[in-house]
């Protein structure tokens, strides 16, 4: 690991003094929360920050879990495990609790924070190994070793000829399905953005998210909605535990006697960023939730998917994942 300067930020105002340039993968200043992404990538020499700003003191103010009539509010520095195990989150927002429970390992879930989780980096092996020169995410303009290389885990939705990396997280997919917002505090004050606007697209792979310099994620808001209780997160992976998704779906349904009033579908494991399948949702409205209507919706959800050889299987796997998740959500007792 390369030498770096270390600071501790006791408040968001002190954290915001650091010009993190966070949108960029190679930012010279990085916040340290649980460290389970950051330190990994520093040891691999992928991230080379000159300054690491420890924001763990912010946990005292920003790790709450509140469930109220307006919805769910989660502190940006809450531990993944605390949210996954929270009885009211499990009851009222099961997709959120399940997405966190199925992520990583107990040790990691205890250590890692929600803010760090949504900003985790891709698991693309070429990104994580600097001996591969061609990686537009690490080195803009250098090419993409995964296109034409080994790309079994890579994305089929939202990709470009510049990058086909998969967004590996689970929690942000559930947030995307449930219309969540991200609360930010930075040098310009506080603001909220949709979770769908947090991650940026594959046309500029070295820019990963839309945080402004110095901004800290202090919370997440999930609105109360009639579909939140009938929500679920289905994660498909190569082994049953301690593994990233190769396909996942967060689904939420508001049903009127078996007929869909509202549907929400988020996709993970197969897209460049947490993905919303809005055309599939619209196609379900006013129809009974059956295997046929779920299959038609799943086809729409994967419309435009592009495989690059080894990952072609994800198109059909993604469709089946959506069908299974929809049928599971419709069968849930609420
Ligand atoms: C072996 C392994 C398996 C895993 N499996 C899964 C899995 O199945 N599913 C899954 O979803 N994840 C998985 N993960 C990823 C893990 O969940 C993330 O590493 C973790 O959530 C990151 O949180 P952290 O607090 O440790 O972030 P850190 O490593 O501290 O930070 C990550 C990044 O986010 C920035 N950051 C952190 N907090 C904030 C904030 N509040 N505001 C602004 N910027 C911030 C940091 O600057 C850094 O760039 C796995 C990780 C490992 C090592
Ligand atoms: S898929 Fe993206 S992260 Fe992976 S090698 Fe290509 S440019 Fe780099």
């Amino acid at each position: 690991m390369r030498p770096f300067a270390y600071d501790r930020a006791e408040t968001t105002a002190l954290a915001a003094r650091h010009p993190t340039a966070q949108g960029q993968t190679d930012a010279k200043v990085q916040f340290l929360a649980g460290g389970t992404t950051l330190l990994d990538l520093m040891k691999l020499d992928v991230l080379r920050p000159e300054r690491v700003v420890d924001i763990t003191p912010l946990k005292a103010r920003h790790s709450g879990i509140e469930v109220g009539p307006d919805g769910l509010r989660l502190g940006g520095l809450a531990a993944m495990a605390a949210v996954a195990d929270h009885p009211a989150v499990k009851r009222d927002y099961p997709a959120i609790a399940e997405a966190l429970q199925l992520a990583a390992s107990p040790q990691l879930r205890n250590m890692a924070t929600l803010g760090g989780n949504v900003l985790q980096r891709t698991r693309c092996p070429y990104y994580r190994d600097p001996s591969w020169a061609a990686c537009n995410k690490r080195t803009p303009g250098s090419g993409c070793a995964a296109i034409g290389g080994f790309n079994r885990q890579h994305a089929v939705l939202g990709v470009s000829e510049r990058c086909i990396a998969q967004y590996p997280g689970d929690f942000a997919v559930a947030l995307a399905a449930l219309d969540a917002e991200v609360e930010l505090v930075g040098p310009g004050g506080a603001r909220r953005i949709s979770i769908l606007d947090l991650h940026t697209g594959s046309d500029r792979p070295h820019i990963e998210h839309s945080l402004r310099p110095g901004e800290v994620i202090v919370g997440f808001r999930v609105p109360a909605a009639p579909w939140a209780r009938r929500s679920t997160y289905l994660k498909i992976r190569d082994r049953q535990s301690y593994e990233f998704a190769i396909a996942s779906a967060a689904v939420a349904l508001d049903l009127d006697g078996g007929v869909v009033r509202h549907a929400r579908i988020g996709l993970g494991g197969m897209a460049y960023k947490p993905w919303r399948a809005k055309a599939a949702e619209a196609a379900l409205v006013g129809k009974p939730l059956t295997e046929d209507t779920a299959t038609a919706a799943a086809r729409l959800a994967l419309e435009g998917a592009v495989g690059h050889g080894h990952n072609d299987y994800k198109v059909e796997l993604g469709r089946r994942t959506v069908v299974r998740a929809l049928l599971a959500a419709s069968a849930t007792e609420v």
Side-chain angles (χ1 to χ4, degrees), residues 22 30-40 47 55 76-77 80 102-104 108 111-113 115-117 119-121 123 168-171 211 215-217 235 242-244:
Q22 287 251 315
Q30 295 278 343
F31 290 143
L32 172 77
T36 62
T37 284
L38 181 63
L39 298 183
D40 240 13
L47 294 182
I55 58 170
L77 283 101
M80 292 169 70
L102 292 169
L108 285 159
M111 192 75 193
T113 63
N117 184 272
L119 295 182
Q120 66 179 280
R121 308 300 205 274
R123 310 303 289 192
D170 297 295
F171 171 57
L211 296 198
E215 277 188 328
V216 182
I217 296 177
K235 178 171 179 176
Y242 200 20
E243 187 56 278
F244 290 92

CSV table of all heavy atoms in Angstrom, one decimal, residues 22 30-40 47 55 76-77 80 102-104 108 111-113 115-117 119-121 123 168-171 211 215-217 235 242-244, ligand 1:
chain,number,residue,atom,x,y,z
A,22,GLN,N,-15.3,13.3,-5.5
A,22,GLN,CA,-15.7,11.9,-5.4
A,22,GLN,C,-16.3,11.2,-6.6
A,22,GLN,O,-16.3,10.0,-6.7
A,22,GLN,CB,-16.8,11.8,-4.3
A,22,GLN,CG,-16.2,12.0,-2.9
A,22,GLN,CD,-16.2,10.8,-2.1
A,22,GLN,OE1,-17.2,10.1,-2.1
A,22,GLN,NE2,-15.1,10.5,-1.4
A,30,GLN,N,-10.2,10.4,-0.3
A,30,GLN,CA,-11.3,9.5,-0.2
A,30,GLN,C,-11.7,9.5,1.3
A,30,GLN,O,-10.9,9.5,2.2
A,30,GLN,CB,-10.8,8.1,-0.5
A,30,GLN,CG,-10.3,7.8,-1.9
A,30,GLN,CD,-11.5,7.5,-2.9
A,30,GLN,OE1,-12.6,7.2,-2.5
A,30,GLN,NE2,-11.3,7.7,-4.2
A,31,PHE,N,-13.1,9.4,1.4
A,31,PHE,CA,-13.6,9.2,2.8
A,31,PHE,C,-13.4,7.7,3.2
A,31,PHE,O,-13.6,6.8,2.3
A,31,PHE,CB,-15.1,9.5,2.8
A,31,PHE,CG,-15.4,11.0,2.7
A,31,PHE,CD1,-16.5,11.4,2.0
A,31,PHE,CD2,-14.6,11.9,3.3
A,31,PHE,CE1,-16.8,12.8,1.8
A,31,PHE,CE2,-14.8,13.3,3.1
A,31,PHE,CZ,-15.9,13.7,2.4
A,32,LEU,N,-13.2,7.5,4.5
A,32,LEU,CA,-13.1,6.1,5.0
A,32,LEU,C,-14.3,5.9,5.9
A,32,LEU,O,-14.5,6.6,6.9
A,32,LEU,CB,-11.8,6.0,5.8
A,32,LEU,CG,-11.7,4.7,6.5
A,32,LEU,CD1,-11.3,3.5,5.6
A,32,LEU,CD2,-10.6,4.8,7.6
A,33,ALA,N,-15.2,5.0,5.6
A,33,ALA,CA,-16.3,4.6,6.5
A,33,ALA,C,-16.0,3.3,7.1
A,33,ALA,O,-15.2,3.2,8.0
A,33,ALA,CB,-17.6,4.6,5.7
A,34,GLY,N,-16.6,2.2,6.5
A,34,GLY,CA,-16.2,0.8,7.0
A,34,GLY,C,-14.8,0.4,6.5
A,34,GLY,O,-14.2,-0.5,7.0
A,35,GLY,N,-14.5,1.0,5.3
A,35,GLY,CA,-13.2,0.6,4.7
A,35,GLY,C,-13.1,-0.7,3.9
A,35,GLY,O,-12.1,-1.0,3.4
A,36,THR,N,-14.3,-1.4,3.8
A,36,THR,CA,-14.2,-2.7,3.2
A,36,THR,C,-14.1,-2.7,1.7
A,36,THR,O,-13.7,-3.7,1.1
A,36,THR,CB,-15.5,-3.5,3.6
A,36,THR,OG1,-16.6,-2.9,3.1
A,36,THR,CG2,-15.6,-3.7,5.1
A,37,THR,N,-14.4,-1.5,1.1
A,37,THR,CA,-14.1,-1.4,-0.4
A,37,THR,C,-12.8,-0.6,-0.5
A,37,THR,O,-11.9,-1.0,-1.2
A,37,THR,CB,-15.3,-0.6,-1.1
A,37,THR,OG1,-16.4,-1.4,-1.3
A,37,THR,CG2,-14.8,0.0,-2.4
A,38,LEU,N,-12.7,0.5,0.2
A,38,LEU,CA,-11.6,1.4,0.1
A,38,LEU,C,-10.2,0.7,0.3
A,38,LEU,O,-9.3,0.8,-0.5
A,38,LEU,CB,-11.8,2.6,1.0
A,38,LEU,CG,-10.7,3.7,0.9
A,38,LEU,CD1,-10.6,4.3,-0.5
A,38,LEU,CD2,-10.8,4.8,1.9
A,39,LEU,N,-10.1,0.1,1.5
A,39,LEU,CA,-8.8,-0.5,1.9
A,39,LEU,C,-8.5,-1.7,0.9
A,39,LEU,O,-7.3,-1.8,0.6
A,39,LEU,CB,-8.8,-0.9,3.3
A,39,LEU,CG,-9.0,0.2,4.3
A,39,LEU,CD1,-8.9,-0.3,5.7
A,39,LEU,CD2,-8.0,1.3,4.1
A,40,ASP,N,-9.5,-2.4,0.5
A,40,ASP,CA,-9.3,-3.5,-0.4
A,40,ASP,C,-8.6,-3.0,-1.7
A,40,ASP,O,-7.6,-3.5,-2.2
A,40,ASP,CB,-10.6,-4.0,-0.9
A,40,ASP,CG,-10.8,-5.5,-0.6
A,40,ASP,OD1,-10.0,-6.0,0.1
A,40,ASP,OD2,-11.8,-6.1,-1.1
A,47,LEU,N,-6.9,2.0,-6.1
A,47,LEU,CA,-7.1,3.4,-5.6
A,47,LEU,C,-5.8,3.8,-4.9
A,47,LEU,O,-5.3,3.1,-4.1
A,47,LEU,CB,-8.3,3.4,-4.6
A,47,LEU,CG,-9.7,3.1,-5.2
A,47,LEU,CD1,-10.8,3.2,-4.2
A,47,LEU,CD2,-10.0,4.0,-6.4
A,55,ILE,N,-14.4,9.2,8.3
A,55,ILE,CA,-15.7,9.8,8.7
A,55,ILE,C,-16.5,9.0,9.7
A,55,ILE,O,-17.6,9.2,10.0
A,55,ILE,CB,-16.6,10.1,7.5
A,55,ILE,CG1,-16.9,8.8,6.7
A,55,ILE,CG2,-16.0,11.2,6.6
A,55,ILE,CD1,-17.9,9.0,5.6
A,76,GLY,N,-26.8,7.5,6.9
A,76,GLY,CA,-25.8,7.1,5.8
A,76,GLY,C,-24.6,6.3,6.4
A,76,GLY,O,-23.9,5.6,5.7
A,77,LEU,N,-24.4,6.4,7.7
A,77,LEU,CA,-23.3,5.6,8.4
A,77,LEU,C,-23.9,4.5,9.2
A,77,LEU,O,-23.1,3.9,10.0
A,77,LEU,CB,-22.4,6.5,9.2
A,77,LEU,CG,-21.5,7.3,8.2
A,77,LEU,CD1,-21.9,8.7,8.0
A,77,LEU,CD2,-20.0,7.2,8.7
A,80,MET,N,-24.7,-2.0,7.8
A,80,MET,CA,-25.6,-2.9,7.0
A,80,MET,C,-26.4,-3.8,7.9
A,80,MET,O,-27.5,-4.1,7.8
A,80,MET,CB,-24.8,-3.6,6.0
A,80,MET,CG,-24.2,-2.8,4.9
A,80,MET,SD,-23.0,-3.8,3.9
A,80,MET,CE,-24.1,-4.9,3.0
A,102,LEU,N,-28.7,-10.5,2.4
A,102,LEU,CA,-28.1,-11.4,1.4
A,102,LEU,C,-26.7,-10.9,0.9
A,102,LEU,O,-26.1,-11.6,0.1
A,102,LEU,CB,-29.1,-11.6,0.2
A,102,LEU,CG,-30.4,-12.4,0.5
A,102,LEU,CD1,-31.3,-12.3,-0.6
A,102,LEU,CD2,-30.1,-13.8,0.9
A,103,ALA,N,-26.3,-9.8,1.4
A,103,ALA,CA,-25.0,-9.2,0.9
A,103,ALA,C,-23.9,-9.6,1.8
A,103,ALA,O,-24.0,-9.7,3.0
A,103,ALA,CB,-25.1,-7.7,0.9
A,104,ALA,N,-22.8,-9.9,1.1
A,104,ALA,CA,-21.5,-10.1,1.8
A,104,ALA,C,-21.5,-11.1,2.9
A,104,ALA,O,-22.2,-12.2,2.8
A,104,ALA,CB,-20.9,-8.7,2.3
A,108,LEU,N,-18.6,-8.5,7.4
A,108,LEU,CA,-18.6,-7.3,6.5
A,108,LEU,C,-19.8,-6.5,6.8
A,108,LEU,O,-19.7,-5.2,6.8
A,108,LEU,CB,-18.6,-7.7,5.0
A,108,LEU,CG,-17.2,-8.2,4.5
A,108,LEU,CD1,-17.4,-9.1,3.3
A,108,LEU,CD2,-16.3,-7.0,4.2
A,111,MET,N,-19.3,-4.3,9.7
A,111,MET,CA,-18.3,-3.2,9.5
A,111,MET,C,-18.7,-2.2,8.6
A,111,MET,O,-18.5,-1.0,8.8
A,111,MET,CB,-17.0,-3.9,9.0
A,111,MET,CG,-15.8,-3.1,9.0
A,111,MET,SD,-15.1,-3.1,10.6
A,111,MET,CE,-13.9,-1.8,10.4
A,112,ALA,N,-19.4,-2.6,7.5
A,112,ALA,CA,-19.7,-1.7,6.4
A,112,ALA,C,-20.9,-0.8,6.6
A,112,ALA,O,-21.8,-1.2,7.3
A,112,ALA,CB,-19.9,-2.5,5.1
A,113,THR,N,-20.9,0.3,6.0
A,113,THR,CA,-22.0,1.3,6.2
A,113,THR,C,-22.8,1.4,4.9
A,113,THR,O,-22.4,1.0,3.8
A,113,THR,CB,-21.4,2.7,6.4
A,113,THR,OG1,-20.6,3.1,5.2
A,113,THR,CG2,-20.4,2.7,7.6
A,115,GLY,N,-23.7,4.2,3.3
A,115,GLY,CA,-23.2,5.1,2.3
A,115,GLY,C,-22.0,4.5,1.5
A,115,GLY,O,-22.0,4.6,0.3
A,116,GLY,N,-21.2,3.7,2.2
A,116,GLY,CA,-20.1,3.1,1.5
A,116,GLY,C,-20.6,2.0,0.6
A,116,GLY,O,-20.1,1.7,-0.5
A,117,ASN,N,-21.7,1.3,1.0
A,117,ASN,CA,-22.2,0.2,0.2
A,117,ASN,C,-22.7,0.7,-1.1
A,117,ASN,O,-22.4,0.1,-2.2
A,117,ASN,CB,-23.4,-0.5,1.0
A,117,ASN,CG,-23.9,-1.7,0.2
A,117,ASN,OD1,-24.8,-1.5,-0.7
A,117,ASN,ND2,-23.3,-2.8,0.4
A,119,LEU,N,-21.7,3.2,-2.8
A,119,LEU,CA,-20.6,3.6,-3.6
A,119,LEU,C,-19.5,2.6,-3.8
A,119,LEU,O,-18.4,2.9,-4.2
A,119,LEU,CB,-20.0,4.9,-2.9
A,119,LEU,CG,-20.9,6.1,-2.8
A,119,LEU,CD1,-20.1,7.3,-2.2
A,119,LEU,CD2,-21.4,6.5,-4.2
A,120,GLN,N,-19.8,1.3,-3.5
A,120,GLN,CA,-18.8,0.3,-3.7
A,120,GLN,C,-18.5,0.2,-5.2
A,120,GLN,O,-19.3,0.6,-6.1
A,120,GLN,CB,-19.3,-1.1,-3.2
A,120,GLN,CG,-20.5,-1.6,-4.0
A,120,GLN,CD,-20.9,-3.0,-3.5
A,120,GLN,OE1,-20.3,-4.0,-3.8
A,120,GLN,NE2,-21.9,-3.0,-2.6
A,121,ARG,N,-17.3,-0.3,-5.5
A,121,ARG,CA,-16.8,-0.3,-6.9
A,121,ARG,C,-17.1,-1.7,-7.6
A,121,ARG,O,-17.3,-2.6,-6.9
A,121,ARG,CB,-15.3,0.0,-7.0
A,121,ARG,CG,-14.9,1.2,-6.3
A,121,ARG,CD,-15.5,2.5,-6.9
A,121,ARG,NE,-14.7,3.7,-6.6
A,121,ARG,CZ,-14.7,4.4,-5.5
A,121,ARG,NH1,-15.5,4.1,-4.5
A,121,ARG,NH2,-13.9,5.4,-5.4
A,123,ARG,N,-16.8,-5.2,-9.4
A,123,ARG,CA,-15.9,-6.4,-9.2
A,123,ARG,C,-15.2,-6.8,-10.5
A,123,ARG,O,-14.6,-7.9,-10.5
A,123,ARG,CB,-16.6,-7.6,-8.6
A,123,ARG,CG,-17.5,-7.2,-7.4
A,123,ARG,CD,-16.7,-6.6,-6.2
A,123,ARG,NE,-15.8,-7.5,-5.5
A,123,ARG,CZ,-15.2,-7.2,-4.4
A,123,ARG,NH1,-15.5,-6.0,-3.8
A,123,ARG,NH2,-14.4,-8.1,-3.8
A,168,PRO,N,-22.2,-4.1,-8.6
A,168,PRO,CA,-22.3,-5.4,-7.8
A,168,PRO,C,-23.2,-5.3,-6.6
A,168,PRO,O,-23.5,-6.4,-6.0
A,168,PRO,CB,-20.8,-5.6,-7.4
A,168,PRO,CG,-20.3,-4.2,-7.2
A,168,PRO,CD,-21.0,-3.3,-8.2
A,169,GLY,N,-23.6,-4.1,-6.1
A,169,GLY,CA,-24.3,-4.0,-4.9
A,169,GLY,C,-25.8,-4.5,-4.9
A,169,GLY,O,-26.4,-4.6,-6.0
A,170,ASP,N,-26.3,-4.8,-3.7
A,170,ASP,CA,-27.7,-5.3,-3.6
A,170,ASP,C,-28.6,-4.2,-3.1
A,170,ASP,O,-29.7,-4.0,-3.6
A,170,ASP,CB,-27.7,-6.5,-2.6
A,170,ASP,CG,-26.9,-7.7,-3.2
A,170,ASP,OD1,-27.3,-8.2,-4.2
A,170,ASP,OD2,-25.9,-8.0,-2.6
A,171,PHE,N,-28.2,-3.5,-2.0
A,171,PHE,CA,-29.0,-2.5,-1.3
A,171,PHE,C,-29.5,-1.4,-2.3
A,171,PHE,O,-30.7,-1.1,-2.2
A,171,PHE,CB,-28.1,-1.9,-0.2
A,171,PHE,CG,-28.7,-0.8,0.5
A,171,PHE,CD1,-29.9,-0.8,1.2
A,171,PHE,CD2,-28.0,0.4,0.6
A,171,PHE,CE1,-30.5,0.3,1.9
A,171,PHE,CE2,-28.5,1.5,1.3
A,171,PHE,CZ,-29.7,1.4,1.9
A,211,LEU,N,-21.9,12.8,-6.8
A,211,LEU,CA,-21.6,13.6,-5.6
A,211,LEU,C,-20.7,14.8,-6.0
A,211,LEU,O,-19.8,14.6,-6.8
A,211,LEU,CB,-20.9,12.8,-4.6
A,211,LEU,CG,-21.7,11.6,-3.9
A,211,LEU,CD1,-21.0,11.2,-2.6
A,211,LEU,CD2,-23.1,12.0,-3.7
A,215,GLU,N,-19.0,16.2,-0.7
A,215,GLU,CA,-20.3,15.8,-0.2
A,215,GLU,C,-20.2,14.5,0.5
A,215,GLU,O,-19.6,13.5,0.0
A,215,GLU,CB,-21.3,15.8,-1.4
A,215,GLU,CG,-21.9,17.1,-1.7
A,215,GLU,CD,-23.0,17.1,-2.7
A,215,GLU,OE1,-23.0,16.2,-3.6
A,215,GLU,OE2,-23.9,17.9,-2.6
A,216,VAL,N,-21.0,14.4,1.6
A,216,VAL,CA,-21.1,13.2,2.4
A,216,VAL,C,-22.5,12.7,2.3
A,216,VAL,O,-23.5,13.5,2.3
A,216,VAL,CB,-20.8,13.4,3.8
A,216,VAL,CG1,-20.8,12.2,4.7
A,216,VAL,CG2,-19.4,14.1,4.0
A,217,ILE,N,-22.7,11.4,2.1
A,217,ILE,CA,-24.0,10.8,2.2
A,217,ILE,C,-24.4,10.6,3.6
A,217,ILE,O,-23.7,9.9,4.4
A,217,ILE,CB,-24.0,9.4,1.5
A,217,ILE,CG1,-23.7,9.5,0.0
A,217,ILE,CG2,-25.4,8.7,1.7
A,217,ILE,CD1,-23.7,8.1,-0.7
A,235,LYS,N,-32.0,-12.8,-5.1
A,235,LYS,CA,-30.6,-12.7,-5.6
A,235,LYS,C,-30.2,-14.1,-6.1
A,235,LYS,O,-30.3,-15.1,-5.4
A,235,LYS,CB,-29.8,-12.3,-4.3
A,235,LYS,CG,-28.3,-12.2,-4.6
A,235,LYS,CD,-27.6,-11.6,-3.4
A,235,LYS,CE,-26.1,-11.5,-3.7
A,235,LYS,NZ,-25.4,-10.8,-2.6
A,242,TYR,N,-22.3,-15.5,0.7
A,242,TYR,CA,-21.0,-14.8,0.5
A,242,TYR,C,-20.6,-14.7,-0.9
A,242,TYR,O,-19.5,-15.1,-1.3
A,242,TYR,CB,-20.0,-15.6,1.3
A,242,TYR,CG,-18.7,-14.7,1.7
A,242,TYR,CD1,-18.8,-13.4,1.7
A,242,TYR,CD2,-17.6,-15.4,2.0
A,242,TYR,CE1,-17.6,-12.6,2.0
A,242,TYR,CE2,-16.4,-14.7,2.4
A,242,TYR,CZ,-16.5,-13.3,2.3
A,242,TYR,OH,-15.4,-12.6,2.6
A,243,GLU,N,-21.5,-14.2,-1.8
A,243,GLU,CA,-21.2,-14.1,-3.2
A,243,GLU,C,-22.1,-13.0,-3.8
A,243,GLU,O,-23.2,-12.7,-3.3
A,243,GLU,CB,-21.6,-15.5,-3.9
A,243,GLU,CG,-21.2,-15.6,-5.3
A,243,GLU,CD,-19.7,-15.3,-5.5
A,243,GLU,OE1,-19.3,-14.1,-5.6
A,243,GLU,OE2,-18.9,-16.3,-5.7
A,244,PHE,N,-21.5,-12.3,-4.8
A,244,PHE,CA,-22.2,-11.2,-5.5
A,244,PHE,C,-23.3,-11.8,-6.4
A,244,PHE,O,-23.2,-13.0,-6.8
A,244,PHE,CB,-21.2,-10.4,-6.3
A,244,PHE,CG,-20.3,-9.6,-5.4
A,244,PHE,CD1,-19.1,-10.1,-5.0
A,244,PHE,CD2,-20.7,-8.3,-5.0
A,244,PHE,CE1,-18.2,-9.4,-4.2
A,244,PHE,CE2,-19.8,-7.6,-4.1
A,244,PHE,CZ,-18.6,-8.1,-3.7
B,1,LIG,C1,-15.6,-10.3,0.1
B,1,LIG,C2,-16.6,-9.3,-0.1
B,1,LIG,C3,-17.9,-9.7,-0.5
B,1,LIG,C4,-18.9,-8.7,-0.7
B,1,LIG,N1,-20.2,-9.1,-1.0
B,1,LIG,C5,-21.1,-8.2,-1.3
B,1,LIG,C6,-22.4,-8.5,-1.7
B,1,LIG,O1,-22.8,-9.7,-1.9
B,1,LIG,N2,-23.3,-7.5,-1.9
B,1,LIG,C7,-23.0,-6.2,-1.7
B,1,LIG,O2,-23.9,-5.3,-1.8
B,1,LIG,N3,-21.8,-5.8,-1.3
B,1,LIG,C8,-20.9,-6.8,-1.1
B,1,LIG,N4,-19.6,-6.4,-0.7
B,1,LIG,C9,-19.3,-5.0,-0.7
B,1,LIG,C10,-19.4,-4.4,0.7
B,1,LIG,O3,-20.8,-4.4,1.1
B,1,LIG,C11,-18.9,-3.0,0.6
B,1,LIG,O4,-17.5,-3.0,0.6
B,1,LIG,C12,-19.3,-2.1,1.8
B,1,LIG,O5,-20.7,-2.0,1.9
B,1,LIG,C13,-18.7,-0.7,1.6
B,1,LIG,O6,-19.0,0.0,2.8
B,1,LIG,P1,-17.9,0.7,3.7
B,1,LIG,O7,-18.6,1.5,4.7
B,1,LIG,O8,-16.9,-0.3,4.1
B,1,LIG,O9,-17.2,1.7,2.6
B,1,LIG,P2,-15.8,2.2,2.4
B,1,LIG,O10,-14.9,1.2,1.9
B,1,LIG,O11,-15.3,2.9,3.7
B,1,LIG,O12,-16.0,3.3,1.3
B,1,LIG,C14,-16.3,3.0,0.0
B,1,LIG,C15,-16.3,4.2,-0.9
B,1,LIG,O13,-17.4,5.1,-0.5
B,1,LIG,C16,-17.0,6.3,-0.1
B,1,LIG,N5,-17.8,6.7,1.0
B,1,LIG,C17,-18.1,5.8,2.1
B,1,LIG,N6,-19.0,6.4,2.9
B,1,LIG,C18,-19.4,7.6,2.3
B,1,LIG,C19,-20.3,8.6,2.7
B,1,LIG,N7,-21.1,8.5,3.8
B,1,LIG,N8,-20.4,9.7,1.9
B,1,LIG,C20,-19.7,9.8,0.8
B,1,LIG,N9,-18.7,8.8,0.4
B,1,LIG,C21,-18.6,7.8,1.2
B,1,LIG,C22,-15.5,6.2,0.2
B,1,LIG,O14,-14.8,7.4,0.0
B,1,LIG,C23,-15.1,5.1,-0.7
B,1,LIG,O15,-14.7,5.6,-2.0
B,1,LIG,C24,-18.6,-7.3,-0.5
B,1,LIG,C25,-17.3,-6.9,-0.1
B,1,LIG,C26,-16.3,-7.9,0.1
B,1,LIG,C27,-15.0,-7.4,0.5
